[in-house]
Structure formats: C-alpha cells, structure tokens
C-alpha cells in the first residue's frame, strides 16, 4: 500500500470513440426475464405467487362450476326486460331502443373521429357476435331436455301446451313415482320440471312428496291412479292416447307431429286416490315469453287455441318462465338450456347495435379521410349531438304531455338498467359544472361566496348519501312548489347531483391548488382578466390534473344510484328484489340475479375507467410537462 | 446623454416611483423608493437577495400592491382601479425567473393566447406575429411543440416572445437567467441585448454583471429595501461611492 496515487490512478482519459451499446443479458429481457423479475424474484415472492394463484384459481373454478352446473340462468332470460327497462310501458319500448341506437351510433362516430378503432377492438367485437350466433346454431342440433309434470291423486293437472313443427317426433311417457325416487339423495332425473306460478305446480308437489316420503308420512307403494294420457293438436283432435291403469301404469305415446302448430298433453283423470305419476315429454323445444319471441311465435303459430286450453283454464306452457331445470347438467345440456335461450333473446339487439356502432365508426373514418373542413364541420355536429342527447333523451323517454306519438310514460315505471343509466348520466352532466363552480367559489377571494360554498360542500360531504336522498324526496317539493308534485326520479337526480357536486368541488379544489401561482401571475402580466385567466389558464390545468379522481367519482356515482331503491324506485339492483321475491317461480334465484347484475355493473364501471385512462393518456388529457 | 450607448436617444420619463413604500405584513420591504426610467432606457437593478428588487418591479405592473407613495407608468397612476391596472399591464411585458409558460398550450398558442383575448387580434394575424417573433428569438422550428419539450433557454426565449407579442412599451425582466444552465444563459442574454439595441425600455433584475456593464444605461443598486446607489455602468463598476456597493461588488466580481 502506497500513500500517494499512482500516475495511472491520477489521470484517466476516455478513448475518443465511445464503445457501441450492447444488448442486456438474455435472462433479463423478454417473457422469461419478466417472470423472473416479477413472479419468482425471491423465495418469498415465489411462495406468494403460488399461494395467490392457488386462491384465485380455486375461486374461479368453484364459481365457474357453480355457474355452469347448478346456476339457474333462466331467471335472467325470462326477466331481461325488467332488468333492462323495468316496467317501462312495453308498447313504447321503441323509444328506448331508438335512443340506445342513437347512443351507439354517436359512440361509434366519436371513437373514430377522435380516437381510433383498433384492430383488437374490432376483432373482439366480431368474434363475440359470431360466437353468439354460432352457439345457438350448434346447440339447436342437440336433443332438447325432457319436460316433466306430475299427475297427483287428488286433482287433474291443467293441459301442458307446446309448439311443434311438422314431422318432429314427440314421445310422452307415464311412470309412477316410486319411494326410491322420492327418497333418493341426489336428483333422480335430468331435465325440466313444470313450475308454473300461481298454480299448484309439479315442482312444489315434487318437493312436498320428497319431504313427506322422507319423514314416512307418505307411502308411495299404494298406487291406484288410472287416467287417460292424450296428445292433441291445434284443433283439439287427439293424435295419440293411452290408458294408464294401476295394473299397467307405464304407458308410452309416440307420434310424429302432423303439422306446424300448437299441441297439448292432457292427463284426463278417470280414477284413483293414492300415488303420484310422472308424465315425461321428450323431443319438445322450450320457448321464451320475451316480447319479441312471443310476437314471432304468435305470428307463426297463432295464439294458444282454446280447443287445447279452454277459456278460463290457466294452461302450463313449455316456456322458460313456467319451467325449472333439475339435476346436474353436462356442458351440452347447459348450453341448450341456459345459454341458448339467453343468446336467442339478446342476439338481434346485439347484432343491430353492433352494426349501428360499426356504421357510425365507418362514417367517422370516412369523414376523417376527407379534408379538414369536412372533419371540422362533422365534429362540430357530433359535439352538438352529444350535448343535445341528454335533454332529447329525457323528452323521448318521458314523453310530452298531450302528444299523440310520445305519450307520457310515468317515470315511476322506469327501472332496471335504464333508470340506473339515466340517473347516472343526468347527475354526471349536472354535477360537473356545479362542482367546478363550487370549487371556484370556494377558491375565490370573495369571503361571502367562499364561505357559502365551503358551507355547502362541508355539509353535503358530512352527510350520508342516503340522508340526502331522503332529504331530496321530502324537501324538494317545498322549493319547487310551483310544479305541485315533482316526480321521484327528478328528486333523486337532484339529490345525486348535489351530493356528487360537493365531492367534485373538493377534487377540483385540489386541482386548483396544484396550479403554480406563477401561471396566474404570467396571465395577469399578459393583461388577461380574472375570467380569462380562470377559463384559459387555471381550469384547463387544474381539471387535467384531476381527471382520474373525477372519473372515479363518477364510477362511484354510478354505483351509488343503487341507493334510490330506498324511495321505492327499482333501478338495476333494486329490481332483483322485485323479480326474485315478487314472482313465486323465481324464489331462491337471488345468486344468479345478483351475479348477472354484478357483471353489468362491473362491465360499465370498467368501461368508465378505461375511458378515463384513455382521456388521461391522449388528446385533451395528456400532461405536457 | 450616455456616451457608451449613442445608438439610442432617451425619451421622456415613462416610469416614475415617488416615495414608494411597501410592507409584507409587518416587514418593511420597500423603503421610500424614488426613481425614474426614461423611454428607451435600459435599467438594471441589482443587489443581494432579499433586497426588494423583484418586489419593486412586480409593483410596477401591479403583481404586488404598494401601500404608500405613487407609481406612475406612461402617465397613468397605479391605483386600485381595475381599468387602470389592465391599461398599464397592456403596456408592460414581463419575463419571469421560472418562465411561467402555459404547459397545456403549444409554443404558438402561448404566444397567440393573449393577443387574441386581450388585443382581440384574429387568429391568423396573431399566428403571423407569433411566428415572426419566434424567428426573432431564434427558435421558429419549435412553434408546434409544448413548453415541456423545450430546453430552459428555449423556454425563456418563448417567454420573451410571448411578452413582446403584446407590443409592450416597457419590458420587465425578473432574474431571467437565474434558473438556467450555464450553457443556456448566453442565448437568452443575446436576445435581451438585441432587444435593448432595438430601443425597448427595459427594467432588468439580474445578477449578470457582464450584461449590465455592456447594455445598461443605468444601474440601480438596492439593499434592505432601499435604493443605495444609482449610476452609469462606469460609475457603478469603476467608481462606486457607497460602502455597501463596494462590498457587494468586491464579493461578486
């Protein structure tokens, strides 16, 4: 060791030519490098990765199995209209459809005018629509599940009606219910069981029989039912029939249907006082009672003829509404029973919507390719259309007093997704400017204005939303006494708007605080007055900084609209209660309904955050520091 | 008449401070300021930090409010009257230490904004003026960029162009080179020298003594809120009279 630096330590001069850049070591880049750096960088990290994957996997698998095996999705298919628009007058639904299409068109044209329809988005859309078309086509080839109803000893079941086409083979089978069947631990059959609301339906009888057989209160070996089982056509003529007697209870009817039309299976009771019999129907397609489906069916087959179903008799139909699937299903059955009816119900709107949106974006794309004057004009019109959309929607949805083509649809009947979206859209559009004004008021040097704004903001933020909604329900009529009764939906809009505005105001105030004072001084030094300084210099910077926070407030608002159910409005979440508890045949299907609605909430919220991230990253939102 | 700068002839008095006093709360920041600036004159204000020099020039376009005395700019006295203030601000351009460009606007928009909203110039005319000014400060190719994409020196030159676009009679510079890397100071000073030669009335707070010596008609030295000494560059650098001035110069030169 020497105390003084050697000559080569003292002086270093780099070579004139800098060395060329090299690639990093192979293990540090690419997918392998990513895995190493992010998932397995240390022993703890590896352990956490594995545990997390196991937990997530278990959750996904168990939910998936439930959804594909046990869930009863017909509750969604049969109540689609309620979920989407509530009890909005069905004959006026064209207004909702029209607005939805207008919205999709505007979205399409706006996206291609101001952003870009990426190939990934386009491909996803096409694949989704194709899958939705292909699955029903494929599943239509599968044999339909059997449909059962019970002939009880003490009464004669109402006829079961179905539609069929010429040549279709149908078989009807009668078999007594044995005590082994009734006490079996797992379901003894796979297929639909009749579950008509308002009648003593086969499913409740079956549950009753099982309960009594298990407790020994019922002896199923006593069987003395004797009845005639008949297959009748549209005119009420018998196509096939057979006598089921206590000695020979297992009878079978086989028939090829002679023509397109309505058919019925009738069990005419002749004798008997003990025992229960299944009537099993094979080869029959179920149908839905969705309004579009029903109209199409009536056009093709006519109404249910009173020759099968005499006036005054509430018939059982092989409709999703009147059936419940029992037993475990394989995937094919699941598809044909659960998914296909749903897809059939939504495919037409989805295709029309997708085409309109694509048409809009194609138009936007064409416009963009033209010169900038055309683009500017069209852009201006599109902006105008967005601005006009909300007020126009209000009048279209609600109608105009005394107008023949747009009769008033009372807002009390609105519900489901429609109500949720209307409340959200109105509250967003009104609360944003109000919130900005409140923030500027609080920020201003005028003490009275600032004090008033602060008071409002703090009071509203210090109170739960539900209180504000009750307040809106009870107090708003006093302020707006001129229009004697303000409807509930408007009151809720006011409540949600005021609540959100207070939060927006606080967010915007945060944004105002981060605008450096030098910006204001520079604007003043240039001679800009206070109004211009705020509008051109301060607000653009302040708002840009708080876009994520504002959008997350809007997502919050979207979910908070669920609280309007406290004043008796059935928005998307509230209507589940109405569907599941208000209709006997859907009792116990909350899980399916809540999961479905949860998915809708998630998809829309996720869409909103995606838009937010897009605004942040591009165009007006990009930070340029 | 100043022998060093025969290229421009000074005009009438355009800024006058009479017994100006200002307090920040209890703190007496400007004490009995008396000074005059003539048209086309270049005045450099220097002094140690905290001496009140920035506050003084910020009072001249009313970014700060003085509490006693009179400030008269171009014959208009600064009062609380809003129309007076905006009339004066239209005559005065200002360049800040931190540039204070508007980060959300392009360079071109930075320069055209006030022209359009204050001077009511049509967009096309405002853009023509902006481009010619960018040419003058030497960065015409940066017009479509955002301030964040420019170097400090370029940003300060944009800030000068932005102030000039309003056709001010007076330019105030508040330490325009203090936030710049040494390599960029020169490009800003060159623009300022060119501006001085063109006959602009300029009031500069700066520590660039080379600039002061070369360009200034007069130098004002301030300390502790009062004017200690006023003089021509030769007087100031060669023959300062006040002890405080001598001490200051001995430390910075």
């Amino acid at each position: 060791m020497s105390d003084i630096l050697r000559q080569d330590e003292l002086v270093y001069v780099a070579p004139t030519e800098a060395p060329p850049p090299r690639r990093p070591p192979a293990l540090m880049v690419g997918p392998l490098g990513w895995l190493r750096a992010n998932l397995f960088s240390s022993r703890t990290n590896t352990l956490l990765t594995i545990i997390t994957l196991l937990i997530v996997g278990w959750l996904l698998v168990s939910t998936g199995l439930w959804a594909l095996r046990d869930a009863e999705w017909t509750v969604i298919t049969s109540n689609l209209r309620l979920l989407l628009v509530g009890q909005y007058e069905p004959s006026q639904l064209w207004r909702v459809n029209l607005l939805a299409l207008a919205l999709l068109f505007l979205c399409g044209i706006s996206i291609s005018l101001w952003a870009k329809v990426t190939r990934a988005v386009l491909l996803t859309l096409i694949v989704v629509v194709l899958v939705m078309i292909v699955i029903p086509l494929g599943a239509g080839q599968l044999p339909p599940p059997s449909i059962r109803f019970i002939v009880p000893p003490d009464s004669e079941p109402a006829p079961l009606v179905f539609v069929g086409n010429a040549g279709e083979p149908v078989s009807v089978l009668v078999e007594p219910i044995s005590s082994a069947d009734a006490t079996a631990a797992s379901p003894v059959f796979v297929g639909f069981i009749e579950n008509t609301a308002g009648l003593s339906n086969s499913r409740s009888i079956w549950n009753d029989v099982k309960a009594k057989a298990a407790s020994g209160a019922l002896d199923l070996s006593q069987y003395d039912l004797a009845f005639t089982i008949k297959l009748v056509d549209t005119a009420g003529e018998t196509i096939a029939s057979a006598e089921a007697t206590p000695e020979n209870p297992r009878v079978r009817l086989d028939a090829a249907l002679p023509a397109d039309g309505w058919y019925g299976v009738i069990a005419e009771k002749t004798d008997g006082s003990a025992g229960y019999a299944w009537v099993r129907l094979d080869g029959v397609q179920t149908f839905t009672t969705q309004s579009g489906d029903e109209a199409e069916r009536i056009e093709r087959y006519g109404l249910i003829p009173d020759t099968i179903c005499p006036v005054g008799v509430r018939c059982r139909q092989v409709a999703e509404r009147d059936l419940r699937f029992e037993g475990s299903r394989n995937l094919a059955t699941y598809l044909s029973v659960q998914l296909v009816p749903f897809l059939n119900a939504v495919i037409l709107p989805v295709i029309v919507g997708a085409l309109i949106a694509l048409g809009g974006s194609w138009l936007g794309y064409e416009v963009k390719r033209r010169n900038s004057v055309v683009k500017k004009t069209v852009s201006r019109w599109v902006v105008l259309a967005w601005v006009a959309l909300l007020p126009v929607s209000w009048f279209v949805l609600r109608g105009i007093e005394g107008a023949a083509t747009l009769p008033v649809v009372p807002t009390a009947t609105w519900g489901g997704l429609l109500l949720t979206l209307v409340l959200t859209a109105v509250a967003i559009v009104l609360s944003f400017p109000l919130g900005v004004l409140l923030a500027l008021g609080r920020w201003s040097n005028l003490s009275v204005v600032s004090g008033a704004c602060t008071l409002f903001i703090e009071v509203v933020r210090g109170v739960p939303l539900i209180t504000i909604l009750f307040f809106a329900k009870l107090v708003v009529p006093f302020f707006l006494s001129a229009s004697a009764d303000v409807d509930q939906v408007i009151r809720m809009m006011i409540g949600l708007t005021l609540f959100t505005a207070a939060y927006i105001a606080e967010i915007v105030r945060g944004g105002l605080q981060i605008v450096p004072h030098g910006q204001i001084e520079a604007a003043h030094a240039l001679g800009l007055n206070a109004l211009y300084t705020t509008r051109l210099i301060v607000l653009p910077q302040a708002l840009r900084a708080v876009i994520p926070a504002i959008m997350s407030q809007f997502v919050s608002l979207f979910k908070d609209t669920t609280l309007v159910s406290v004043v008796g409005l059935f928005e998307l979440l509230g209507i589940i209660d109405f569907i599941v508890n208000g209709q006997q045949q859907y009792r116990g299907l909350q899980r399916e309904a809540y999961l479905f609605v949860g998915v809708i909430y998630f998809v829309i919220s996720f869409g909103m955050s995606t838009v937010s991230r897009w605004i942040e990253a591009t165009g007006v939102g990009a930070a340029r520091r | 008449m100043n022998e060093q700068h025969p290229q421009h002839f000074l005009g009438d008095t355009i800024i006058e401070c009479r017994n100006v006093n200002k307090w920040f709360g209890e703190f007496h920041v400007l004490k009995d300021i008396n000074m005059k600036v003539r048209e086309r004159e270049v005045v450099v204000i220097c002094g140690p930090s905290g001496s009140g020099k920035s506050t003084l020039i910020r009072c001249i376009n009313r970014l700060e409010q003085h509490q006693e005395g009179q400030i008269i700019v171009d014959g208009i006295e600064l009062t609380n009257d809003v129309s007076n203030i905006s009339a004066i601000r239209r005559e005065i351009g200002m360049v800040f230490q931190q540039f204070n460009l508007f980060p959300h606007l392009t360079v071109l928009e930075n320069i055209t904004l006030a022209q359009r909203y204050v001077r009511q110039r049509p967009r096309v005319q405002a853009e023509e003026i902006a481009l010619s000014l960018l040419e003058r400060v030497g960065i015409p190719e940066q017009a479509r960029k955002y301030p964040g994409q420019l170097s400090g020196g370029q940003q300060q030159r944009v800030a000068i162009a932005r102030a000039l676009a309003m056709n001010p009679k007076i330019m105030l510079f508040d330490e325009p080179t203090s936030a710049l890397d040494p390599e960029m100071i020169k490009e800003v000073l060159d623009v300022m020298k060119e501006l001085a030669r063109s006959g602009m009335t300029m009031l500069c707070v700066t520590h660039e003594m080379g600039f002061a010596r070369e360009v200034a008609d007069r130098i004002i030295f301030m300390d502790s809120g009062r004017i200690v000494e006023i003089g021509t560059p030769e007087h100031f650098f060669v023959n300062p009279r006040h002890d405080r001035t001598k001490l200051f110069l001995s430390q910075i030169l």
Side-chain angles (χ1 to χ4, degrees), chain B residues 108-127:
Chain B
L108 197 64
E109 287 164 342
N110 261 282
I111 304 175
T112 54
L113 185 83
Q115 295 189 60
R116 292 175 55 200
Y117 287 93
V118 180
R119 290 273 187 224
Q120 314 288 343
R121 286 180 192 148
R123 185 198 197 101
V124 179
Q125 191 197 346
E127 287 184 355

Side-chain angles (χ1 to χ4, degrees), chain A residues 509-527:
Chain A
R509 188 167 73 102
L512 292 174
Q513 278 167 350
I514 67 155
V515 176
H517 199 246
Q519 291 287 311
I520 298 165
E521 287 182 347
H524 283 167
L526 284 169

